[in-house]
Amino acid sequence: MISDSYANRGQGFIADDIEQGDLPANVQVTGPNGEDWDFPSGGIDEGRAMLQIVHDVAPGADLAFRTGAVSASDFAQGIRDLADANCDIIVDDLTFLTEPFYGGGLVDQAVTEVVSNGVSYFTSAGNFGDDGYEAVYSEATDGTTTYHSFNGEAYNEVYLEKGDYLIVLQWSDWFYSDEPSVSGSPDGADHDFDIYLHDENGNRLFGFNRNNIGGDPVEVLPFTVNSDNVTARIVIEYDGSDSDIQVPLSSVKLKYVAFRSGKGFDQKHKDGNGTIVGHATNEFAITVGATAYNDISKVESFSSRGGSLSNELGFGIPNIVGPDGGYTSVGLR
């Protein structure tokens, strides 16, 4: 299992789990040289909960845990660590917002590597519902600003409820932070896009205008909504390109996903609103969505959706779905 933590709540809880039969006594949580595979600080022990469920279903299985919550690169190393420890099934429930949406990435590469060596790899589809948007960049201008056209409009109208939001925009450029063998280029992004939140009257409220050229094609938009039934606008502006362009602007795909979506998120334009991204789109992984435990004919509303058209990111996944609501001791003691 790869998740956040195993024993953050204390070794006493582990002893209770073993005594009550929720876990075997020999879960491997250390590396071959004695290194601690648990999260160094923090975490809510989702990894231990996952291990309890596996122990219920397959009580004779040998179990191991390695955190993947430190960073994307450490997550990738954790996948290799478990494979080196002779784990033939690896399961994770993590998504890093900095993983490339459009192919490659350090975690994605590690998944491909271990599967090629005989490991069966399962990953969570994610918990982002259909709170996303994807389209090929469509240029428009008002004379002073160049922006992406949402079906002829300069913005996507969104409808928000109270809570915290985290919207991540990526586009189909190279990632500088990936190794060249992963991304195909060490040069970083060719194009610079910015994402802003406007009020319903078009006044800019918040956003980022970081220069992405030569770096990673990622912009992050965190904000808090303090009341319900708020109408706002998402605006994506184009801010220039490198002189040595490898990906033509006319073919660049834009995608944003609401990794946190308060108490409710909806939008006017829902093109490409699948939200399965990162290594969960790896063709060699088995990507798992969630069904309601009391009615397995229904996919949970929070479970990430794949693309509905063949040219959308995430098309053809999740591969399978499984019931939620399994009992564990984590969080109950």
Side-chain angles (χ1 to χ4, degrees):
M1 293 293 159
I2 299 179
S3 186
D4 63 339
S5 62
Y6 175 72
N8 179 67
R9 295 174 180 268
Q11 290 295 327
F13 289 107
I14 305 298
D16 290 343
D17 286 347
I18 294 170
E19 181 180 354
Q20 296 178 17
D22 290 322
L23 284 176
N26 59 342
V27 176
Q28 181 176 351
V29 198
T30 57
N33 298 314
E35 61 269 28
D36 187 0
W37 279 354
D38 206 354
F39 196 39
S41 63
I44 59 174
D45 290 2
E46 286 193 7
R48 181 158 55 91
M50 294 164 67
L51 288 165
Q52 288 184 14
I53 292 171
V54 172
H55 187 57
D56 286 341
V57 176
D62 294 326
L63 302 180
F65 175 80
R66 169 60 155 85
T67 186
V70 176
S71 66
S73 60
D74 187 68
F75 182 7
Q77 182 58 49
I79 293 171
R80 295 185 175 95
D81 286 344
L82 291 178
D84 290 343
N86 298 317
C87 294
D88 51 13
I89 300 172
I90 299 177
V91 183
D92 82 72
D93 69 342
L94 298 175
T95 304
F96 274 87
L97 58 86
T98 54
E99 285 187 71
F101 289 176
Y102 290 98
L106 301 177
V107 179
D108 185 82
Q109 185 187 43
V111 171
T112 299
E113 179 183 313
V114 299
V115 171
S116 71
N117 291 322
V119 171
S120 296
Y121 198 96
F122 295 79
T123 184
S124 167
N127 296 328
F128 317 122
D130 60 358
D131 298 339
Y133 171 88
E134 181 184 18
V136 175
Y137 174 61
S138 177
E139 185 171 295
T141 183
D142 59 9
T144 58
T145 302
T146 302
Y147 55 85
H148 171 64
S149 173
F150 292 88
N151 297 326
E153 295 187 288
Y155 55 85
N156 196 1
E157 193 165 79
V158 292
Y159 317 104
L160 311 172
E161 303 299 331
K162 186 183 297 184
D164 295 326
Y165 290 79
L166 180 66
I167 297 176
V168 177
L169 170 69
Q170 292 193 20
W171 52 99
S172 53
D173 267 349
W174 305 117
F175 267 66
Y176 177 80
S177 60
D178 274 337
E179 298 171 357
S181 61
V182 177
S183 67
S185 170
D187 298 328
D190 287 335
H191 310 289
D192 184 17
F193 290 95
D194 305 318
I195 185 169
Y196 295 98
L197 187 71
H198 290 204
D199 67 18
E200 61 184 325
N201 298 314
N203 301 305
R204 182 180 292 178
L205 300 174
F206 186 72
F208 281 99
N209 58 355
R210 185 169 59 94
N211 182 2
N212 303 94
I213 295 174
D216 289 344
V218 180
E219 292 285 2
V220 182
L221 185 66
F223 59 92
T224 299
V225 175
N226 294 318
S227 59
D228 289 326
N229 302 313
V230 171
T231 298
R233 298 174 177 180
I234 290 177
V235 177
I236 299 174
E237 295 185 5
Y238 168 68
D239 204 23
S241 299
D242 192 357
S243 57
D244 182 21
I245 294 176
Q246 302 180 65
V247 181
L249 182 62
S250 60
S251 65
V252 170
K253 291 183 179 180
L254 304 168
K255 185 171 187 67
Y256 64 72
V257 173
F259 283 86
R260 285 201 303 266
S261 54
K263 293 183 177 179
F265 176 93
D266 199 5
Q267 52 190 347
K268 180 177 180 180
H269 301 292
K270 300 184 178 182
D271 310 57
N273 61 343
T275 57
I276 300 178
V277 293
H279 70 281
T281 64
N282 185 293
E283 63 179 313
F284 303 111
I286 298 172
T287 301
V288 187
T291 56
Y293 75 94
N294 57 350
D295 186 353
I296 60 172
S297 68
K298 294 180 180 179
V299 176
E300 292 282 26
S301 60
F302 62 79
S303 187
S304 288
R305 269 54 172 181
S308 58
L309 301 175
S310 61
N311 62 346
E312 288 180 5
L313 186 65
F315 175 71
I317 47 179
N319 304 102
I320 60 175
V321 292
D324 62 9
Y327 170 82
T328 77
S329 70
V330 176
L332 298 178
R333 294 175 179 157

